[in-house]
Amino acid sequence: MPTPRLPSGIHVFERGWLSANNILFTGGDETLLVDSGYCTHTQQTLSLVEKVLGNRSLDLLANTHLHSDHCGGNAGLQARYPSLQTLIPPGHARQVEQWDTTTLTYEPTGQLCPKFTFDQLLCPGEEIWFGNTLWEIHAATGHDPHSVIFFEPVEKILISADALWENGFGVVFPELEGDSAFSDVAATLSLIGQLNPATIIPGHGRVFSYTPEILTIANRRLESFVASPVRHGRHAVKVLIKFKLLEVQQQPKSAFIEWAARTSYFEQIRMRFFEDVPFAVWIEKMFDELVAAGVAKQEGENLVNL
Ligand SMILES: [Zn+2]
């Protein structure tokens, strides 16, 4: 299916998986960027934005949610554009104020996110101008209990963050922490079905045309996780390791194992789903599975990103 065309004034920077996509709006008096990528890619984010804006400044920055791959560039953008106004969903506003890196998950997942500040909230149920188009703010629980997604009802464009991708959706983090959230994923997918978008700009991957088949794929994936939360746990561990691999590109396997041992999320997941297997055996097996899946390779001592 060809990539759908977007109205002028909307620029999508399709990034990889370490950095979420960024969406730059230039159509109105005020420029606005949705999501800022991962911190190690900040220079790339700045140059993508600067290349489109030229001498214009970036006025507003809106985060769909506060995972490190969506807001890791916030600090760099705030430094580059001192009058930038930053908008975040309300759920973790206090934790951002206090810079509570545990609740914000950067510490327990072993991910990096430089401290940033915010100015305004993106409250579900309200509307907001992105450039010269008016967008609805919707809550999108599941992947992240505090995530929002944005919908433009005239052109029927959805900015879906990690709630819906062309082939599924992001890890359901609350499920790893002992909260049930698969039903939240189902509710969010159902909301998206009701919005019935024409075009989706996902948090990762290319822009795509929405069809009911996209929801079927996501629902099927959800059903497989509901049937086997352990499968979801195993998937999540591999996603977290791959994310680190994308960040560092390569390092000795022993360094990875040490990193995993001091990154509390891994032990938390093991205790929940794989309690019978000792940590060292379990984490080694996860690395082996990533290599077997062809997303990493072992070169001597080193584990290398593929
Ligand atoms: Zn996310």
Side-chain angles (χ1 to χ4, degrees):
M1 197 179 282
T3 304
R5 283 172 61 90
L6 290 166
S8 65
I10 304 181
H11 311 261
V12 177
F13 306 139
E14 186 187 332
R15 311 292 290 271
W17 290 88
L18 184 62
S19 277
N21 293 339
N22 322 122
I23 307 135
L24 180 59
F25 291 83
T26 57
D29 291 339
E30 290 188 311
T31 60
L32 179 144
L33 186 73
V34 173
D35 286 341
S36 64
Y38 194 64
C39 62
T40 54
H41 286 169
T42 298
Q43 281 313 317
Q44 196 184 2
T45 305
L46 289 174
S47 48
L48 285 164
V49 170
E50 283 166 8
K51 203 169 163 200
V52 174
L53 289 185
N55 291 329
R56 286 179 87 181
S57 81
L58 182 65
D59 300 307
L60 298 154
L61 170 62
N63 292 121
T64 55
H65 61 303
L66 301 178
H67 285 161
S68 64
D69 54 330
H70 291 255
C71 66
N74 281 20
L77 286 160
Q78 289 178 349
R80 169 68 180 81
Y81 300 103
S83 60
L84 182 69
Q85 293 279 302
T86 300
L87 294 81
I88 63 171
H92 272 160
R94 180 182 302 193
Q95 286 76 9
V96 172
E97 256 163 17
Q98 297 169 345
W99 203 244
D100 172 358
T101 56
T102 302
T103 311
L104 293 170
T105 73
Y106 312 137
E107 182 74 36
T109 58
Q111 297 174 6
L112 309 172
C113 188
K115 186 175 190 302
F116 62 86
T117 57
F118 73 94
D119 305 284
Q120 294 169 50
L121 297 175
L122 296 159
C123 294
E126 295 184 356
E127 292 175 320
I128 180 171
W129 288 95
F130 288 174
N132 52 7
T133 48
L134 192 59
W135 293 69
E136 300 169 356
I137 305 169
H138 293 274
T141 55
H143 164 71
D144 177 300
H146 309 297
S147 183
V148 296
I149 52 178
F150 305 112
F151 183 61
E152 196 283 287
V154 178
E155 298 285 340
K156 296 167 94 51
I157 304 168
L158 180 73
I159 294 174
S160 65
D162 296 341
L164 181 65
W165 298 334
E166 190 167 7
N167 193 8
F169 48 82
V171 165
V172 187
F173 281 94
E175 285 281 340
L176 307 174
E177 300 166 9
D179 297 325
S180 73
F182 288 143
S183 59
D184 294 334
V185 175
T188 294
L189 293 177
S190 157
L191 164 73
I192 292 172
Q194 285 161 29
L195 293 173
N196 192 26
T199 304
I200 295 190
I201 306 173
H204 301 268
R206 64 174 185 168
V207 176
F208 58 93
S209 295
Y210 172 80
T211 60
E213 173 70 9
I214 298 281
L215 269 199
T216 307
I217 294 169
N219 275 311
R220 220 175 273 148
R221 190 166 180 74
L222 177 62
E223 282 160 24
S224 79
F225 290 153
V226 170
S228 172
V230 173
R231 181 185 317 188
H232 174 256
R234 188 179 295 120
H235 165 68
V237 170
K238 287 189 268 189
V239 167
L240 287 165
I241 296 173
K242 174 67 178 177
F243 191 81
K244 198 59 174 180
L245 197 56
L246 282 164
E247 182 196 311
V248 302
Q249 289 298 314
Q250 59 171 304
Q251 70 179 6
K253 195 176 178 184
S254 56
F256 262 114
I257 290 173
E258 277 164 33
W259 166 78
R262 65 172 186 270
T263 300
S264 63
Y265 227 75
F266 289 104
E267 178 63 359
Q268 190 181 344
I269 295 171
R270 187 188 70 84
M271 287 300 287
R272 192 166 305 286
F273 301 108
F274 309 96
E275 203 188 351
D276 298 344
V277 192
F279 187 87
V281 176
W282 173 69
I283 204 76
E284 184 97 29
K285 186 166 181 291
M286 293 294 127
F287 283 110
D288 290 348
E289 286 186 19
L290 278 176
V291 171
V295 296
K297 69 172 175 180
Q298 183 134 13
E299 262 181 15
E301 285 292 293
N302 276 356
L303 209 62
V304 181
N305 184 50
L306 283 179

